[in-house]
Amino acid sequence: MSHFNFENTLNELVKLDAPIERGPMMRWQRKALETGRQALSPLKLHSGSVLRTPAVQGKDTKTPNKNSSLSKTPNKKTPSTPLSNTADRFIPNRGTTDVDMAHYKMMNQENELVPDGGGDQSDNPDYQKKLSDALGKNPQDSKVLSFTNKVPRGAEGYMNNLKVLYSSGKTNAQKATVTRHIPQVPDRILDAPELVDDYYLNLLDWSCNNHIAVSLGPAVYVWNATSGNIVELMELTAQDEYISSIKWIKEGNIVAVATSSGEVQLWDVGQQKKMRTMASHSARVGSLSWNAHILSSGSRTGKIHHHDVRVQDHHIGTLTSHTQEVCGLAWSPDGRHLASGANDNQLCIWDATMSREIHPVHTFTEHQAAVRALAWCPWQSSLLASGGGTADRNIRFFNISTGFCLNSVDTGSQVCSILWSSQYRELVSGHGFSRNQLTMWKYPAMSVVSELFGHTARVLCLCLSPDGSTVASAAADETIRLWKCFACDKPKKITTKKKSDSTTSSSLTSKMR
């Protein structure tokens, strides 16, 4: 039985139901003894729904009335009576706080705290010297934050290194209302193995005889779009040499082929025979453009040479304004002006009468990247469209008569090539990363007519069929796709046919009479 007694004794010692008789006094008991009040049990203190606030020593515990001084809100002149330290919790005395003065110090800029000891240091020479060193040479132009003025424009030619180079989002242009059907899939896909993925080269062109010439590595192939036959026109034999540019003459029987060594060759496609070789450049020729019997070529050195293909001394002029590789050349339809774009971000306009060591008529510097995509408007000879590279991504329109930039549209990606439609007031542009699409635009609103997807790499070159209905696109995915972008509507064809028939019949009737 002894072990039961021990267990009962242990239970009584650890029981918490009864008050602990041994041990230190409770906090409320000590406070009661210090203040001389009767010690109340905690049960009696918390028995009511509201705790009683301890009365101030030596004061009446009755509720103060309206005439009592305790009912007034304490202010600066009549500070409130401090509470006794007999309360259970500490209540700070806020009666002496000067709220008006605190608000004044917080809002007044003249009383702001200044580092290193505080106070106003506007007259301190050491402080002013440190401030001017931190803000630069012109402290009055330096601002940490400013919401009143716009950000000042950078110096001319300044390039922001943090500018976003690529954009995966869609363009901000609005969708245009289209009344005709535009196929969203290519009409035909051609394989183009070994197509050089170089932004500065022009490796595709479509002749008026419906022949497509394309450069694949060191060789040039001609595809007959009417019959489907493919002919290998020529191939370079030198090691590591490749074709850098191709351009058909307006008549469509001769194609100019430029090489990485700086040569420009003329080939007769019908006879598959080389007519002549013109060597005048010291570096590769990345762009070509015909103006009747004059062939202009732009090289990696930044120089543009004019060649008269009828004479033996073919080199008749040199244009020197660009400082880097010329990647875009385009003669205007009337043959009066030549547009050149280069890797120095400049777009130059040259007059046809100027051929030797002169300055261009206009030099546009709005683009912030290489200018490769150039296209003259077919119905307005003074209107030129140009596209910038990755750091620019804009299609800009220039009036060469006035020398002003008419409009600029951010396309969201690299602009590799531009074509105007000869049947609609529209243009199509080929783009690079990240969507590698063809975008059709309505001019002059520049609203998106349609976007054509299919290429898996950037669209390097675009060319238009002789009838103006089909666009051929060559991309770095080594494919050539044919798109029926500008096909005529059937009602329009019927109307045109009726007009032609009526004209023919009337002319025949007049001849018979």
Side-chain angles (χ1 to χ4, degrees):
M1 297 296 291
S2 61
H3 64 279
F4 290 108
N5 295 334
F6 174 75
E7 185 175 350
N8 293 335
T9 305
L10 183 61
N11 290 334
E12 291 179 357
L13 292 175
V14 298
K15 188 184 297 183
L16 298 178
D17 294 341
I20 300 177
E21 299 179 354
R22 299 178 183 179
M25 296 178 62
M26 303 299 291
R27 179 172 176 271
W28 62 273
Q29 292 176 340
R30 295 199 307 272
K31 282 186 170 294
L33 291 177
E34 293 174 359
T35 56
R37 296 182 301 165
Q38 182 181 1
L40 300 176
S41 67
L43 293 177
K44 291 182 180 180
L45 275 172
H46 297 80
S47 59
S49 59
V50 180
L51 290 176
R52 292 179 56 194
T53 303
V56 180
Q57 186 176 5
K59 297 291 183 180
D60 191 1
T61 59
K62 294 181 180 180
T63 303
N65 53 22
K66 294 181 179 179
N67 298 326
S68 175
S69 61
L70 293 177
S71 63
K72 296 180 180 180
T73 303
N75 52 25
K76 294 186 290 185
K77 297 181 180 180
T78 58
S80 61
T81 306
L83 295 176
S84 172
N85 58 355
T86 60
D88 286 346
R89 59 190 177 88
F90 172 74
I91 301 177
N93 183 8
R94 297 184 178 89
T96 58
T97 303
D98 192 343
V99 180
D100 295 338
M101 182 59 69
H103 180 268
Y104 173 78
K105 290 183 176 181
M106 291 176 62
M107 301 303 295
N108 193 349
Q109 296 181 358
E110 295 181 357
N111 294 315
E112 288 182 350
L113 294 178
V114 181
D116 301 332
D120 187 7
Q121 296 192 12
S122 59
D123 297 333
N124 190 342
D126 295 337
Y127 173 76
Q128 290 296 333
K129 185 177 182 302
K130 293 180 180 179
L131 183 63
S132 61
D133 294 341
L135 296 179
K137 296 182 180 180
N138 299 318
Q140 66 276 7
D141 298 334
S142 301
K143 297 181 178 66
V144 179
L145 289 177
S146 176
F147 301 98
T148 57
N149 300 325
K150 293 183 179 180
V151 178
R153 297 186 62 180
E156 184 177 357
Y158 172 74
M159 175 68 71
N160 186 2
N161 295 328
L162 299 180
K163 186 175 181 179
V164 179
L165 298 183
Y166 301 107
S167 174
S168 59
K170 295 184 179 180
T171 59
N172 297 326
Q174 298 179 355
K175 195 75 173 180
T177 303
V178 185
T179 57
R180 72 180 190 277
H181 172 67
I182 301 176
Q184 297 299 304
V185 294
D187 183 63
R188 184 173 294 185
I189 302 177
L190 306 176
D191 291 329
E194 298 185 38
L195 183 69
V196 181
D197 182 11
D198 195 327
Y199 177 77
Y200 302 98
L201 306 184
N202 296 271
L203 307 177
L204 183 73
D205 198 23
W206 205 330
S207 73
C208 63
N209 296 330
N210 208 17
H211 293 167
I212 294 180
V214 59
S215 168
L216 303 179
V220 175
Y221 294 87
V222 178
W223 178 67
N224 190 330
T226 304
S227 62
N229 296 330
I230 302 175
V231 176
E232 182 179 348
L233 183 63
M234 55 88 67
E235 184 176 2
L236 300 175
T237 57
Q239 189 177 4
D240 298 332
E241 192 175 4
Y242 56 90
I243 306 299
S244 56
S245 184
I246 292 176
K247 196 65 177 179
W248 288 97
I249 197 171
K250 184 178 180 181
E251 291 73 18
N253 58 335
I254 297 175
V255 61
V257 179
T259 66
S260 58
S261 61
E263 291 183 351
V264 179
Q265 302 177 7
L266 300 182
W267 285 79
D268 188 334
V269 179
Q271 299 181 4
Q272 299 184 22
K273 180 180 179 181
K274 182 170 68 172
M275 301 176 61
R276 67 181 303 180
T277 299
M278 300 180 293
S280 61
H281 292 285
S282 59
R284 75 174 183 182
V285 178
S287 55
L288 296 170
S289 183
W290 285 92
N291 183 17
H293 56 273
I294 302 298
L295 176 62
S296 300
S297 58
S299 72
R300 201 169 197 171
T301 61
K303 294 183 179 181
I304 301 172
H305 290 180
H306 294 319
H307 309 271
D308 190 340
V309 298
R310 302 171 301 175
V311 297
Q312 183 177 0
D313 297 332
H314 56 87
H315 186 195
I316 61 173
T318 302
L319 305 179
T320 57
S321 179
H322 294 290
T323 58
Q324 296 188 36
E325 182 172 8
V326 179
C327 50
L329 277 180
W331 277 100
S332 60
D334 57 8
R336 296 174 57 188
H337 295 92
L338 173 66
S340 62
N343 196 31
D344 56 4
N345 308 345
Q346 291 187 0
L347 170 61
C348 297
I349 307 298
W350 308 86
D351 193 274
T353 59
M354 303 176 181
S355 59
R356 290 185 178 275
E357 304 288 345
I358 44 81
H359 299 287
V361 179
H362 299 292
T363 301
F364 300 107
T365 59
E366 283 80 0
H367 284 288
Q368 301 299 318
V371 184
R372 177 178 181 266
L374 298 174
W376 292 90
C377 180
W379 63 84
Q380 185 177 350
S381 59
S382 60
L383 180 61
L384 175 67
S386 61
T390 305
D392 183 73
R393 309 178 303 179
N394 277 262
I395 296 178
R396 305 179 191 272
F397 299 89
F398 298 93
N399 188 330
I400 63 169
S401 298
T402 60
F404 289 105
C405 180
L406 303 178
N407 191 13
S408 178
V409 178
D410 188 353
T411 64
S413 58
Q414 181 186 50
V415 183
C416 301
S417 186
I418 298 176
L419 289 177
W420 288 93
S421 171
S422 58
Q423 301 180 11
Y424 302 92
R425 287 187 175 268
E426 297 175 357
L427 63 154
V428 60
S429 56
H431 299 274
F433 183 86
S434 63
R435 297 189 294 159
N436 309 311
Q437 85 283 7
L438 277 73
T439 304
M440 300 175 62
W441 308 84
K442 188 71 175 178
Y443 185 83
M446 289 307 291
S447 53
V448 177
V449 176
S450 179
E451 289 183 310
L452 307 177
F453 297 95
H455 286 292
T456 58
R458 61 180 176 178
V459 182
L460 295 170
C461 304
L462 295 179
C463 57
L464 193 64
S465 63
D467 60 357
S469 63
T470 307
V471 173
S473 59
D477 58 3
E478 298 184 344
T479 63
I480 299 175
R481 300 170 188 258
L482 306 182
W483 310 83
K484 292 287 186 180
C485 297
F486 305 114
C488 294
D489 292 337
K490 291 183 179 179
K492 186 175 180 181
K493 288 184 177 179
I494 294 173
T495 305
T496 307
K497 186 177 180 181
K498 286 182 179 179
K499 288 182 179 180
S500 61
D501 292 344
S502 62
T503 305
T504 306
S505 61
S506 60
S507 62
L508 290 174
T509 305
S510 61
K511 288 182 179 179
M512 291 175 65
R513 289 178 182 176

